[in-house]
């Protein structure tokens, strides 16, 4: 189909045994979602639209210490929590796009995994309403506003709204979890267009206050040393281990709120960039990773809790159909397929996404 | 419902959970612009190939175990829509006819509009009306899924070859009894070869009282109240018994014919005289021995008698049935294989004689597990020659492969009960009036007492019905040790 899906770089969420969910979140999301759908005046929406990807600032001179920090799994009972969010475009209207957002948190405690999924929330975003939607949600969930930040473009809105949801889930986790390890999907870079420094700072502060350690895993990194990705060409050393990086600085306003490591946690070929909160003591950082190793299951060096969070929030094709059915049956929006111009012009050579 | 695909005479229709279409249902694919509609029947229901289903199932798989549990906060209530899409089904349908100007035709060469066609369910009642499944002599077979009574016309069984088949205990005998008493009710003459003695009490109600058919049921028990004297027999009938039931060789048959004619001419045709004549026959020793052994078989069967008061003529029973209708039940329950064949040869020979001489107009013959008493050559005889005399046969069997393929190919009506065995379904699907897919797909899922009716009686619109109950004493139940 014509649907493109983005996973947002970030993670966390809230509390265990019985997490108390802030119900205003879903209420506000629902209200804005339904209001936006009611604004579809022309009863057609089209599928297929190409998306843009935004890039991060290139960092300055990065060095990788070649001496690994060996790790020993610690089996001391520790709660592991993870958060992820996902967005998908489910169609277009003549005035905008229809998108869906969903967030998921997963926590592992006493050898059991549990999850909470929030959403999907469906929005009709137009040039006219994008500002009000974004600002309204931001106002509702974050005490600090990012007033200086420019309003996202229409095509940036899916990622930005998903990011907003994910950051909110992260802050809830940071506030409600105690003595745990919070796994984020992505990095700990602040000052970007969608993550103001003060917001990420607030999340990390709350986590520290409750004696949590935030570990942010990046599935893919663009950081290179001598032309090679930092997760490649690793020393032959028995796993698990971490490699420290130094000298990593971004041009303002981008700020790194964590220290960057390369984590090779299993014998597999896979290694990941791991950001750990800068404000945490070195020994605590190592201990946190060791507790993670002792308390979670790993597949391809990637923690299962975070993998589940990703799986649970990702939209499947039949969910997209269901949401299109919802838009159509509840709001009378007829779905029309827009012809794929690549296919139309280039036939079998016109693969979507290739220029 | 939406039309998805058409290949040959198969159409695939996308159906959603609230549309409740099942196997056997009829649908109308109506193209208003073409002013035509396709009448299709659902022969299979499959899951629609919704993309992403595998991922969805894999993701929810862990939720069902102890591995991962959780909570979904779904404020917009999208979950029911997801279920709706996941449970969408694909109806594989067979095109049965085209409806144009209220007339049905077998034409399926046109293609209805995929986007504009309207698909609705067609009730059995409406279908029967369209297909003109009606008449002056209705036989109510039972109720359909939509609570309509499936009524066939007795004239659609007239002059036809019918098969009732299905696995053991699913209601074949019940249906044959229903058909039989319905025909008797319309004053038809019915003859039943009752292998297990289960039709003998058909004149009684379930609580043991006489029912309205009591006086019309004539049970003949061979060697008991059903005996014949030799002088009542036509030579052809006797020769049929000797050659086909007792396998008398040609030379010996010629000698027997001579002896029989000699005794007949002298008006001395009795068992005693026949035995004496064979003993004193001036012929080859082997021939004499062959004739003697056959004579012993005949005489030991107890079916033949020299006492004319004991002899119950089949002709008499047939005569009783002639005006007001009736059923002659030939009870073969306690009869040996050879005796059974003798009796059947006799009855069939007499029937042909009576029909040839127009003593009888026509007779409906019900034959249960006919392979146990019908000789090979009779199969073709029954479906070709005897049909022209007016013997209209209904075969009842739970072993469909015991009926010859030629019978299936010429069967006009098939009443099919549940079969799960692929081989059995293969055999039945050779019937000329039905397609193999329908037989295989629908018959496999039929519940007990449900019958797929195929052929002329339903104007070639296969219909599933739950056979109605009848108030007759059932004798066909299996005897159990533990009950």
């Amino acid at each position: 189909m014509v649907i493109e899906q983005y996973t947002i770089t970030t993670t966390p969420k809230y509390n265990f045994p019985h997490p108390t969910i802030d119900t205003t979140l879903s209420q506000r999301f629902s209200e804005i979602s339904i209001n936006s759908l009611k604004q579809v005046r022309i009863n057609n929406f089209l599928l297929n639209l190409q998306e843009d990807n935004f890039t991060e600032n290139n960092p300055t001179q990065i060095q990788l210490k070649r001496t690994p920090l060996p790790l020993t799994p610690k089996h001391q009972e520790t709660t592991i929590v993870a958060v992820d969010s996902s967005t998908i475009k489910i169609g277009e209207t003549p005035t905008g796009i229809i998108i869906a957002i969903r967030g998921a948190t997963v926590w592992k405690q006493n050898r059991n995994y549990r999850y909470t999924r929030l959403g999907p929330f469906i929005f009709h975003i137009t040039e006219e309403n994008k500002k009000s939607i974004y600002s309204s949600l931001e106002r509702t969930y974050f005490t600090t506003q990012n007033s200086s930040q420019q309003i996202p473009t229409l095509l940036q809105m899916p990622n930005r709204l998903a990011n907003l949801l994910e950051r909110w889930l992260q802050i809830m986790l940071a506030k409600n979890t105690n003595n745990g390890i919070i796994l984020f999907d992505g990095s700990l870079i602040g000052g970007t267009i969608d993550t103001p420094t003060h917001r990420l700072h607030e999340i990390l502060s709350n986590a520290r206050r409750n004696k949590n350690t935030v570990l942010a895993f990046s599935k893919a990194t663009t950081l290179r040393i001598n032309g090679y990705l930092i997760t490649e060409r690793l020393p032959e050393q028995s796993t698990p281990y971490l490699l420290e990086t130094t000298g990593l600085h971004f041009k303002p306003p981008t700020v790194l709120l964590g220290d960057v490591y390369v984590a090779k946690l299993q014998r597999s070929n896979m290694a990941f960039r791991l950001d750990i909160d800068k404000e945490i003591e070195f020994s605590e950082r190592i201990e946190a990773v060791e507790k993670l190793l002792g308390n979670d299951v790993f597949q391809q060096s990637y923690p299962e809790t975070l993998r589940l969070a990703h799986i649970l929030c990702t939209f499947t094709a039949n969910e997209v159909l269901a949401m299109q059915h919802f838009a159509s049956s509840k709001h009378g929006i007829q779905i029309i397929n827009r012809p794929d111009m690549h296919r139309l012009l280039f036939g079998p050579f016109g693969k979507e996404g290739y220029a | 419902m939406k039309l998805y695909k058409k290949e040959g005479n198969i159409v695939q229709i996308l159906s959603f959970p609230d549309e409740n279409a099942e196997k056997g249902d009829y649908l109308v694919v109506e193209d208003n612009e073409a002013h035509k509609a396709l009448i299709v029947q659902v022969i299979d229901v499959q899951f629609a190939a919704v993309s992403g289903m595998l991922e969805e199932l894999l993701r929810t798989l862990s939720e069902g175990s102890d591995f991962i549990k959780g909570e979904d906060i779904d404020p917009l209530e999208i979950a029911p829509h997801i279920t709706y899409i996941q449970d969408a089904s694909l109806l594989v349908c067979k095109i049965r006819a085209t409806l144009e100007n209220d007339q049905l035709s077998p034409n399926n060469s046109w293609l209805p509009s995929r986007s504009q066609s309207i698909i609705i369910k067609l009730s059995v009642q409406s279908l029967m009306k369209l297909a003109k499944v009606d008449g002056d002599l209705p036989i109510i077979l039972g109720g359909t899924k939509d609570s309509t009574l499936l009524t066939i016309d007795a004239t659609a069984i007239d002059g036809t070859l019918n098969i009732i088949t299905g696995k053991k205990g699913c209601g074949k005998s019940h249906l044959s009894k229903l058909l039989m008493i319905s025909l008797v009710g319309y004053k038809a003459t019915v003859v039943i070869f009752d292998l297990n003695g289960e039709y003998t009490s058909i004149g009684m109600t379930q609580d043991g009282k006489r029912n309205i058919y009591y006086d019309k049921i004539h049970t003949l028990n061979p060697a008991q109240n059903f005996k014949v004297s030799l002088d009542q027999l036509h030579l052809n009938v006797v020769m049929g018994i000797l050659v086909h039931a007792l396998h008398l060789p040609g030379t010996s048959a010629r000698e027997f014919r001579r002896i029989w004619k000699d005794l007949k001419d002298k008006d001395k045709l009795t068992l005693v005289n026949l035995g004496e004549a064979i003993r004193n026959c001036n012929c080859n020793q082997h021939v004499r021995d062959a004739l003697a052994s056959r004579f012993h078989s005949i005489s030991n069967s107890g079916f033949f008698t020299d006492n004319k008061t004991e002899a119950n003529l089949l002709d008499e029973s047939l005569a009783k049935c002639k005006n007001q209708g009736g059923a002659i039940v030939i009870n073969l329950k306690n009869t040996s294989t050879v005796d059974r064949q003798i009796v059947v040869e006799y009855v069939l020979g007499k029937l042909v004689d009576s029909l040839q001489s127009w003593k009888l107009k026509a007779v409906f013959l019900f034959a249960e597990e006919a392979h146990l008493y019908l000789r090979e050559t009779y199969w073709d005889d029954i479906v070709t020659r005897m049909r022209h005399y007016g013997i209209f046969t209904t075969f009842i069997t739970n072993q469909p492969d015991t009926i010859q393929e030629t019978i299936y190919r010429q069967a006009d009506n098939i009443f099919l009960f549940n079969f799960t065995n692929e081989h059995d379904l293969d055999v039945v699907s050779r019937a000329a009036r039905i397609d193999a897919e329908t037989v295989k797909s629908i018959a496999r899922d039929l519940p007990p007492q449900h019958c797929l009716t195929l052929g002329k009686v339903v104007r070639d619109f296969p219909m599933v019905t739950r056979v109605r109950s009848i108030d007759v004493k059932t004798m066909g139940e299996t005897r159990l040790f533990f009950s």
Side-chain angles (χ1 to χ4, degrees):
Chain A
M1 258 190 85
V2 186
I3 307 297
E4 289 153 44
Q5 187 163 329
Y6 319 96
T7 309
I8 292 304
T9 50
T10 1
T11 318
K13 182 169 179 170
Y14 51 102
N15 206 6
F16 319 122
H18 297 288
T20 46
I21 266 228
D22 180 358
T23 52
T24 55
L25 172 85
S26 54
Q27 281 169 12
R28 192 71 186 130
F29 252 93
S30 307
E31 283 165 19
I32 295 173
S33 158
I34 290 166
N35 282 339
S36 71
L37 287 169
K38 283 178 180 168
Q39 288 166 11
V40 183
R41 291 204 176 82
I42 299 169
N43 283 350
N44 292 329
F45 75 92
L46 309 169
L47 297 177
N48 291 354
L49 192 74
Q50 287 86 36
E51 292 290 334
D52 64 341
N53 288 315
F54 46 99
T55 54
E56 59 186 26
N57 292 335
N58 287 327
T60 55
Q61 293 287 344
I62 178 174
Q63 297 295 321
L64 188 67
K65 289 186 183 174
R66 301 301 293 176
T67 312
L69 303 168
L71 301 166
T72 309
K74 279 196 175 165
H75 298 284
Q76 179 191 336
E77 184 69 42
T78 308
T79 304
I80 313 290
V81 291
V83 64
D84 202 359
S85 71
S86 186
T87 180
I88 196 162
K89 181 167 79 258
I90 59 173
E92 281 183 46
T93 67
T95 54
I97 55 175
I98 306 238
I99 62 159
I101 291 163
R102 180 160 64 190
T105 63
V106 177
W107 63 101
K108 191 187 185 200
Q109 196 175 30
N110 302 326
R111 296 185 177 184
N112 292 319
Y113 289 100
R114 291 191 67 84
Y115 74 87
T116 299
R117 272 197 295 194
L118 201 56
F121 300 98
I122 301 174
F123 296 92
H124 176 225
I125 313 232
T126 63
E127 286 296 345
E128 289 73 35
N129 73 6
K130 66 178 187 184
K131 182 177 179 182
S132 66
I133 287 176
Y134 190 79
S135 309
S136 177
L137 287 171
E138 197 179 34
R139 254 197 322 275
T140 308
Y141 302 118
F142 295 99
T143 50
T144 50
Q145 301 296 303
N146 191 26
S147 52
S148 60
Q149 190 179 296
Q150 63 185 41
I151 295 301
T153 66
L154 197 63
L155 299 183
Q156 287 171 343
M157 278 297 281
N159 284 332
R160 300 291 290 276
L161 287 181
N163 184 273
L164 214 52
L165 176 65
E166 188 164 328
R167 292 296 178 204
W168 180 83
L169 289 171
Q170 287 173 353
I171 204 164
M172 293 300 286
L173 273 182
K175 283 178 179 175
N176 292 299
T177 307
N178 295 301
N179 298 308
I181 293 167
I182 302 174
L183 304 180
F184 288 8
D185 180 20
S187 65
L188 293 181
I189 296 174
T192 59
I193 197 159
D194 57 356
T195 307
T197 307
H198 57 82
R199 190 167 297 159
L200 185 57
H201 192 267
E202 185 185 351
I203 293 166
L204 294 175
S205 305
N206 276 293
R208 282 195 298 275
R209 199 170 301 130
N210 290 322
K211 298 185 170 45
N212 299 307
T213 307
V214 172
L215 304 178
F217 282 85
S218 300
K219 288 189 287 293
T221 180
T222 54
L223 296 179
R224 290 173 185 269
I225 295 171
N226 299 328
Y228 294 103
L229 288 173
I230 58 167
T231 50
E232 292 175 353
R233 296 173 71 90
L234 299 176
E236 290 296 326
Q237 171 83 21
S238 64
T239 54
Y241 64 80
L242 295 178
L243 291 175
E244 270 183 289
T245 65
T246 54
L248 182 60
H249 300 288
F250 290 92
K251 289 176 188 167
T254 306
V255 180
L256 188 58
L257 298 184
D259 281 335
V260 176
Y261 296 83
V262 173
K264 187 163 185 183
L265 304 180
Q266 270 192 320
R267 284 178 65 85
S268 69
N269 288 328
M270 308 295 286
F272 296 95
R273 169 184 165 177
L274 172 64
D275 290 19
I276 307 178
D277 184 1
K278 252 187 181 81
E279 303 293 318
I280 300 273
E281 291 294 325
F282 178 78
S283 61
E284 287 176 29
R285 296 179 196 180
I286 300 297
E287 190 184 9
V289 181
E290 288 179 335
K291 281 181 178 174
L292 177 66
L293 282 166
N295 282 274
D296 205 358
V297 178
F298 282 79
Q299 274 192 25
Q300 303 285 345
S301 272
Y302 200 74
E304 179 69 1
T305 314
L306 195 52
R307 196 180 73 91
L308 285 171
H310 176 75
I311 288 172
L312 287 165
C313 68
T314 303
F315 293 100
T316 59
N318 82 84
E319 285 178 323
V320 173
L321 285 173
M323 290 184 287
Q324 288 170 344
H325 183 260
F326 166 83
S328 164
S329 62
K330 289 274 180 187
H331 298 278
I333 302 165
Q334 289 298 312
I335 298 168
I336 298 166
N337 280 309
R338 169 192 275 186
D340 179 348
M341 291 311 286
H342 282 94
R343 285 278 180 201
L344 205 64
L345 293 172
F346 309 125
F349 305 102
K351 287 189 178 176
E352 195 181 348
Y354 287 82
Chain B
M1 283 183 269
K2 285 281 178 191
L3 183 61
Y4 172 56
K5 201 186 267 185
K6 178 181 180 290
E7 279 175 7
N9 63 350
I10 297 275
V11 292
Q12 293 184 5
I13 290 169
L14 194 63
S15 167
F16 291 101
D18 52 356
E19 290 168 328
N20 279 329
E22 291 179 11
K23 267 189 195 182
D25 286 351
Y26 277 90
L27 309 172
V28 184
V29 183
E30 201 172 339
D31 188 332
N32 286 327
E33 286 194 10
H35 303 292
K36 284 196 280 194
L38 282 180
I39 308 283
V40 301
Q41 185 179 28
V42 181
I43 61 165
D44 198 14
V45 182
Q46 303 172 351
F47 285 118
V50 180
S51 52
M53 262 321 292
L54 183 63
E55 291 91 329
E56 193 66 39
L57 291 174
L58 283 171
R59 187 161 64 183
T60 53
L61 192 64
S62 54
E63 291 176 21
S65 67
D66 292 336
F67 178 56
I68 180 164
K69 289 177 181 167
E71 179 189 9
D72 280 289
I73 298 165
D74 178 17
L76 296 182
E77 295 182 344
I78 304 290
H81 296 268
I82 296 172
T83 313
Y84 191 72
I85 297 291
Q86 285 179 349
D87 290 346
S89 54
L90 193 69
L91 309 177
V92 181
C93 306
K94 199 92 181 172
I95 298 172
R96 300 290 180 209
T98 291
L99 179 66
E100 193 171 10
N101 301 324
D102 288 335
Q103 294 295 315
L104 290 177
S105 67
N107 168 30
N108 65 11
S109 57
W110 66 288
L111 194 63
S113 160
R114 179 145 63 178
S115 57
Q116 302 301 317
S117 289
I118 297 166
I119 302 173
I120 51 168
K121 271 197 189 181
L122 181 63
S123 69
V124 173
Q125 195 172 21
S126 309
L127 178 64
M128 289 199 301
K129 201 173 168 186
L130 281 170
K132 299 185 175 66
V133 181
D134 51 13
D136 298 332
L137 305 175
I139 297 175
I140 299 170
L141 283 190
T144 59
K145 203 186 80 181
D146 59 4
S147 304
T148 306
L149 291 177
L150 177 59
T151 307
I152 61 169
D153 193 60
T155 55
I157 305 177
D158 197 3
T160 60
L161 174 66
N162 312 305
I163 296 171
I164 301 175
T165 188
K167 69 183 179 193
K168 212 165 57 177
C170 56
K172 299 181 301 297
S173 300
H174 179 77
L175 176 64
S176 71
K177 284 169 195 163
L178 170 64
L179 291 176
M180 197 195 88
I181 58 171
S182 304
L183 290 168
V184 169
Y186 291 126
K187 300 181 181 177
T189 302
V190 180
V191 174
I192 303 117
F193 288 131
D194 183 7
L195 197 65
N196 300 309
E198 54 186 290
Y199 293 81
T200 53
S201 299
I202 211 161
M204 312 288 276
T205 59
Q206 282 170 347
D207 52 7
K209 293 175 186 165
R210 293 179 178 187
N211 62 21
I212 53 168
Y213 306 107
Y214 182 82
D215 293 329
K216 293 184 175 181
I217 309 296
H218 310 283
T219 304
L220 303 181
N221 300 303
Q224 292 174 32
N225 69 342
F226 183 26
K227 293 183 181 182
V228 291
S229 61
L230 293 189
D231 62 344
Q232 294 164 339
L233 285 172
H234 194 281
L235 177 60
N236 288 345
V237 176
V238 182
M239 291 310 293
I241 292 169
L242 289 172
V243 174
H244 300 303
L246 301 174
H247 309 290
L248 186 70
T251 314
S252 307
R254 276 197 299 279
E255 189 58 31
F256 182 84
R257 190 186 292 270
R258 191 191 61 73
I259 295 170
W260 181 276
K261 280 185 176 169
D262 188 40
L263 289 174
K264 182 92 177 170
D265 291 344
K266 292 174 185 168
D267 200 17
K268 288 183 178 175
L269 203 51
T270 63
L271 270 180
V272 176
N273 292 338
L274 181 62
E276 190 64 27
I278 289 170
R279 268 195 300 279
N280 298 329
C281 172
N282 186 20
C283 61
N284 181 289
Q285 181 65 33
H286 294 298
V287 172
R288 191 183 308 121
D289 288 348
L291 291 175
S293 69
R294 270 57 175 199
F295 173 75
H296 281 295
S297 296
I298 285 174
S299 110
N300 289 338
S301 70
F303 182 57
F304 298 95
T305 179
D306 286 338
N307 184 351
K308 287 192 178 175
T309 55
E310 276 185 354
N312 182 326
L313 288 179
L314 181 60
D315 285 334
E316 282 177 20
S317 301
L318 289 172
K320 284 181 197 166
C321 301
K322 192 176 176 185
N323 294 326
Q324 290 306 309
I328 299 165
V329 181
I330 313 291
N331 184 5
L332 302 172
K333 188 180 179 184
N334 297 316
T335 317
S336 70
T337 311
V338 173
D339 295 351
R340 201 186 292 149
Q341 287 177 333
I342 291 172
V343 173
V344 170
E345 284 286 343
Y346 169 75
V347 173
L348 288 176
K350 280 304 284 185
L351 285 177
V352 171
D353 273 353
S354 304
L355 291 162
Q356 271 180 327
S357 59
W358 280 95
K359 287 179 191 166
L360 268 181
K361 193 176 174 187
V363 63
F364 293 92
L365 179 70
F366 282 71
E368 280 226 12
E369 305 302 347
H371 63 285
L372 296 177
Y373 47 80
L374 268 195
R375 63 179 160 87
E376 288 290 305
T377 51
Y378 254 142
W379 293 101
D380 286 333
D381 241 19
I382 281 178
V383 295
T384 54
R385 193 171 64 88
M386 291 193 185
R387 187 158 58 91
H388 294 293
Y389 291 135
I391 297 181
F392 310 132
T393 312
T394 299
F395 291 109
I396 303 131
T397 185
N398 56 27
Q399 299 175 65
D401 55 350
T402 60
I403 296 178
Q404 290 185 356
E405 188 176 337
T406 49
I407 306 285
Y408 284 107
R409 300 197 70 78
Q410 296 185 63
D412 298 289
N413 300 301
I414 295 181
F415 300 92
L416 183 58
F417 288 83
N418 178 275
F419 270 125
T420 38
N421 185 292
E422 196 74 30
H423 174 68
D424 290 334
L425 291 167
D426 274 341
V427 174
V428 179
S429 61
R430 288 175 196 153
R433 295 193 80 111
I434 191 63
D435 56 283
E437 293 104 313
T438 304
V439 168
K440 287 183 182 174
S441 175
I442 297 181
R444 192 181 283 128
D445 296 331
L446 285 172
Q449 283 91 48
H450 283 69
C451 160
L452 174 65
T453 308
L454 309 158
K456 199 176 160 186
V457 287
V458 285
R459 307 271 171 161
D460 294 320
F461 286 95
M463 289 187 202
V464 176
T465 179
R466 184 190 165 87
V467 181
R468 73 180 168 95
S469 59
I470 45 173
D471 189 18
V472 295
K473 195 170 182 180
T474 50
M475 302 285 285
E477 292 141 350
T478 305
R479 188 194 299 187
L480 300 172
F481 181 80
F482 290 111
S483 63

